[in-house]
């Protein structure tokens, strides 16, 4: 039986790249099922995502041949068997709308991830975790214990073999060290008013200013607070009749939807890094 794979790659742009990749796959008995590519003229980089089926090689053999193929092109390659749920750890504080939405989508078969653990600096959602039979780790964080808490968090992430960490309204700023360790595999969600309305109660601040659009941003976590490469954003309209509660509820719905999209696209290997930006093959 054929095994399906997803191949992702980026490299300096040059003539014949699509031909070279498709030729390589043909030579190795692969049948292309889906393909997308993008040339970034500003950076001179080429990006490609290909889903293909192959029964002539195992995963290790394909990876070895791909590495040899990609070297002359300076390719950054990824090969991922289709059908393997991405092991994920979710971190949350006291707002559970994104956590609840993600768990329901996973249970419903709408997200190709396996939630291996939930980490929180509060106990609020241990019963929710238990209802999905997911280990819940309560790790309080204070200024004095931040380093020890993060060490324990990272220990759990590594022990679970997590390929993805989702900050589902986790309201603690990660240290530069942890951001570096999780580079490219940690996604955060927040309201997209930033850089306006920083700090506590952003929807109260937005209501006071009479905003007409509210939204959410999902991005990769970096040491630059809330400035990592953006994966997805969306907005919802507001007007003068909306209360703070209306704005907050609409904002939470938007955050849940935007985060779910970002997690889905990442877990399907549709997001490729492009400097401070991303290429998203939807």
């Amino acid at each position: 039986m054929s095994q399906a794979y997803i191949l992702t790659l980026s490299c300096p742009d040059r003539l014949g790249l699509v031909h070279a990749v498709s030729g390589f796959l043909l030579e190795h008995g692969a049948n292309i099922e889906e393909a997308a590519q993008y040339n970034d003229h500003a950076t001179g980089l080429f990006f490609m995502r290909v889903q293909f089926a192959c029964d002539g090689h195992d995963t290790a053999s394909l990876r070895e041949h791909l590495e040899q193929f990609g070297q002359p092109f300076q390719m950054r390659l990824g090969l991922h068997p289709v059908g393997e749920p991405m092991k994920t750890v979710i971190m949350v504080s006291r707002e559970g709308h994104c956590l609840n939405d993600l768990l329901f989508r996973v249970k419903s078969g709408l997200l190709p991830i396996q939630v291996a653990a939930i980490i929180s600096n509060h106990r609020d959602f241990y019963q929710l975790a238990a209802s999905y039979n997911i280990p819940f780790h309560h790790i309080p964080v204070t200024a004095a214990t931040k380093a020890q808490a993060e060490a324990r968090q990272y220990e759990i992430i590594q022990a679970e073999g997590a390929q993805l960490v989702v900050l589902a309204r986790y309201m603690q700023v990660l240290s530069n060290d942890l951001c570096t360790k999780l580079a490219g595999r940690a996604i955060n969600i927040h309201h997209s008013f930033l850089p306006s309305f920083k700090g506590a109660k952003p929807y109260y601040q937005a209501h006071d200013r009479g905003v007409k659009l509210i939204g959410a941003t999902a991005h990769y976590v970096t040491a630059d607070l809330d400035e990592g490469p953006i994966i997805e954003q969306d907005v919802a309209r507001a007007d003068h009749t909306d209360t703070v509660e209306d704005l907050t509820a609409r904002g939470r719905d938007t955050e849940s939807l935007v985060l779910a999209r970002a997690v889905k696209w990442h877990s399907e290997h549709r997001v490729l890094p492009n400097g401070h930006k991303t290429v998203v093959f939807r």
Side-chain angles (χ1 to χ4, degrees):
M1 181 180 293
S2 295
Q3 169 66 54
Y5 295 92
I6 294 171
L7 168 65
T8 59
L9 64 91
S10 61
C11 63
D13 194 17
R14 59 187 282 184
L15 290 173
L17 285 171
V18 174
H19 179 270
V21 173
S22 58
F24 169 87
L25 293 174
L26 176 62
E27 290 172 8
H28 288 77
N31 181 44
I32 295 176
E33 299 174 338
E34 179 184 334
Q37 68 271 343
Y38 171 67
N39 306 67
D40 190 335
H41 297 293
T43 62
L45 294 177
F46 172 81
F47 302 85
M48 193 171 188
R49 178 188 184 275
V50 184
Q51 181 169 321
F52 64 91
C54 181
D55 58 6
H57 298 271
D58 60 22
T59 304
S61 173
L62 268 178
R63 283 204 175 101
E64 181 181 348
H65 291 166
L66 275 167
E67 287 298 329
Q68 295 172 358
F69 162 75
Q71 284 178 3
F73 300 99
Q74 303 176 55
M75 285 183 178
R76 181 177 180 179
L77 295 158
L79 182 68
H80 315 279
V82 172
E84 293 184 358
M86 183 172 286
K87 283 195 173 182
T88 301
V89 168
I90 300 177
M91 300 176 67
V92 65
S93 289
R94 308 194 85 161
E95 295 184 29
H97 52 286
C98 288
L99 171 65
N100 191 54
D101 181 78
L102 290 174
L103 294 180
F104 178 79
R105 289 174 188 268
V106 173
K107 183 72 171 179
S108 303
L110 300 175
L111 282 179
I113 64 173
Q114 174 193 341
V115 181
I118 295 170
I119 298 173
S120 181
N121 54 326
H122 298 279
R123 296 186 183 274
D124 298 49
F125 300 113
Y126 78 93
Q127 289 179 317
L128 177 63
S131 72
Y132 284 94
N133 199 29
I134 297 172
F136 182 87
H137 302 272
H138 175 227
I139 305 176
V141 181
T142 66
T145 64
K146 187 178 182 69
Q148 297 93 320
E150 287 196 343
R152 176 59 182 145
Q153 291 166 356
Y154 188 65
E155 180 183 313
I156 294 168
I157 291 166
Q158 291 298 93
E160 296 293 351
Q163 300 165 275
L164 174 63
V165 176
V166 181
L167 307 187
R169 299 298 289 163
Y170 181 68
M171 306 307 292
Q172 293 286 324
V173 177
L174 302 188
S175 68
N176 291 355
D177 177 63
L178 188 54
C179 287
T180 300
K181 289 176 178 176
L182 299 179
R185 60 178 175 133
I187 296 175
N188 188 30
I189 184 71
H190 57 71
H191 64 80
S192 60
F193 297 135
L194 295 172
S196 299
F197 312 142
K198 293 182 179 180
K201 297 187 175 180
Y203 289 102
Y204 284 80
Q205 300 176 54
H207 183 263
D208 287 343
R209 288 292 302 274
V211 300
K212 305 307 179 192
L213 287 174
I214 59 175
T217 295
H219 63 88
Y220 287 115
V221 174
T222 65
D224 297 319
L225 182 62
D226 294 329
E227 295 183 17
I230 294 171
I231 304 169
E232 173 64 341
Q233 293 178 296
D234 206 347
V235 296
R237 294 208 63 86
D239 64 30
H240 63 279
T241 65
D242 288 317
T243 65
V244 171
E245 291 73 23
D246 293 332
L247 296 184
T248 302
R250 202 167 302 145
R252 286 175 174 170
D253 287 345
T254 307
E255 289 169 3
S256 298
L257 182 59
V258 168
L259 182 58
R261 287 178 190 154
V263 170
K264 185 175 190 295
W265 294 338
H266 177 92
S267 60
E268 293 177 344
H269 310 285
R270 296 184 179 276
V271 187
L272 278 66
N274 184 19
H276 296 299
K277 303 186 292 183
T278 60
V279 172
V280 183
F281 291 121
R282 302 183 188 181

